Amino acid sequence: MTGTAEPEEAPGTAATTAAPTAGADAETTRRAGSDPASGSTPDPAEGPAAGSAPADRYLEAAVGLLQRARQTQAATLARAGALVADTVAGGGALFAHGAGHSSLAAQDLVYRSGGLALVNLLAVPGATGVDAVPAPFGSALERVSGLARAALDTSPARAGDLLFVVSLSGRNALPVEMASHARALGLTVIGVTSLAYARRYGATLREHCDLVLDTGIAVGDAELTDDRVAAPFAPASTVVAAALLQATVAQAVGELADRGVEPPLLRSGNVDGGAAWNERVHAAAADRVYWRHPPRPA
């Protein structure tokens, strides 16, 4: 998902309507944005009207991508939710990893009101987010072999845990080796990536995951083009990846409820009683929560 981390991707030529990056696979052409409230199914051959405002075209393209994810990933989301529920019910911890912009979706699961308290960020310093200076240094780290093994071997992750690995292209060494080594250590791995890249460049991340959620993002990650502008623009990979991850958590919560297991959910600290609720949740699952220091002895 890291556009800055994958410079080998060449943007496509400009056009007058919302469209995929030139050369993208046919199945990743922009989905239409029929009114989601109407319940109608978008026609993949259509796109937002050329004359509409760019902001409207972007939102329509994002809606189309989410509709496509709902239609094509339903069975995979059910399986992903079951894997997360199995991990939680079995006493395991949850981890999320992403580098560059891919880390945005991974971080959205951590310490999140309405989310599972057991999700921990598995970070590689310098490659998490775009806080590295200069920024291209973080992109370079994603292509360094060996960092994933070092990060996992010094982390609290262990067999029986589950790891989400988020990477738009799934091509760089860091996410690929993170998934591969995690599985070797006995973790369950769910990848979140665009299979359009695998189809064009060859399978990478998807080969090392127990399950893959396909974002359906076109190669190049830009939803809009304009014949007055030299490059395509308006990426949506973060929107779709974050939605798929939150949908997985929602499915897992439902699974746990079906099994009679209380999901360890966090509440907003900005509502009355939220902070006290979160302290109780943390205390009950402190051995699987690594985003804060352990509580002091009584």
Side-chain angles (χ1 to χ4, degrees):
M1 169 188 293
T2 45
T4 56
E6 294 147 350
E8 63 270 36
E9 299 162 9
T13 55
T16 57
T17 62
T21 302
D25 296 333
E27 56 266 50
T28 57
T29 53
R30 289 290 60 87
R31 269 59 61 177
S34 57
D35 182 3
S38 70
S40 59
T41 301
D43 180 354
E46 298 176 1
S52 56
D56 185 60
R57 289 195 290 136
Y58 176 78
L59 292 174
E60 193 170 357
V63 168
L65 283 163
L66 292 175
Q67 288 177 326
R68 180 258 178 205
R70 182 183 183 187
Q71 293 163 1
T72 66
Q73 301 302 293
T76 309
L77 284 167
R79 293 169 57 201
L83 288 174
V84 173
D86 290 344
T87 303
V88 173
L94 306 171
F95 293 86
H97 168 77
H101 288 97
S102 291
S103 70
L104 300 177
Q107 290 180 65
D108 193 51
L109 292 178
V110 181
Y111 189 49
R112 195 73 161 87
S113 61
L116 291 169
L118 306 182
V119 185
N120 306 278
L121 187 67
L122 185 53
V124 174
T128 300
V130 288
D131 56 339
V133 178
F137 175 69
S139 300
L141 286 179
E142 293 189 53
R143 296 186 288 275
V144 176
S145 182
L147 288 179
R149 178 179 289 270
L152 275 164
D153 288 347
T154 55
S155 79
R158 61 185 185 274
D161 293 341
L162 182 144
L163 172 65
F164 293 102
V165 178
V166 187
S167 174
L168 170 60
S169 73
R171 298 184 69 195
N172 289 323
L174 184 54
V176 172
E177 293 179 6
M178 187 71 72
S180 176
H181 191 48
R183 290 187 78 192
L185 294 176
L187 280 74
T188 298
V189 178
I190 297 177
V192 183
T193 187
S194 171
L195 295 184
Y197 284 83
R199 286 187 287 269
R200 176 178 289 193
Y201 299 111
T204 47
L205 174 61
R206 71 173 181 178
E207 294 182 318
H208 305 285
C209 298
D210 295 282
L211 191 69
V212 172
L213 289 164
D214 180 15
T215 62
I217 297 294
V219 173
D221 192 18
E223 294 302 311
L224 302 183
T225 57
D226 189 313
D227 59 4
R228 301 164 299 174
V229 179
F233 55 101
S237 56
T238 304
V239 173
V240 182
L244 287 172
L245 287 169
Q246 292 295 353
T248 297
V249 171
Q251 185 70 24
V253 169
E255 283 272 347
L256 290 167
D258 288 343
R259 302 179 192 184
V261 177
E262 180 66 28
L265 293 167
L266 295 171
R267 290 187 172 182
S268 172
N270 297 314
V271 300
D272 291 346
W277 170 280
N278 292 341
E279 287 295 328
R280 291 193 297 271
V281 170
H282 176 261
D287 60 332
R288 295 185 279 170
V289 175
Y290 307 107
W291 40 258
R292 59 167 289 176
H293 295 296
R296 294 181 179 180

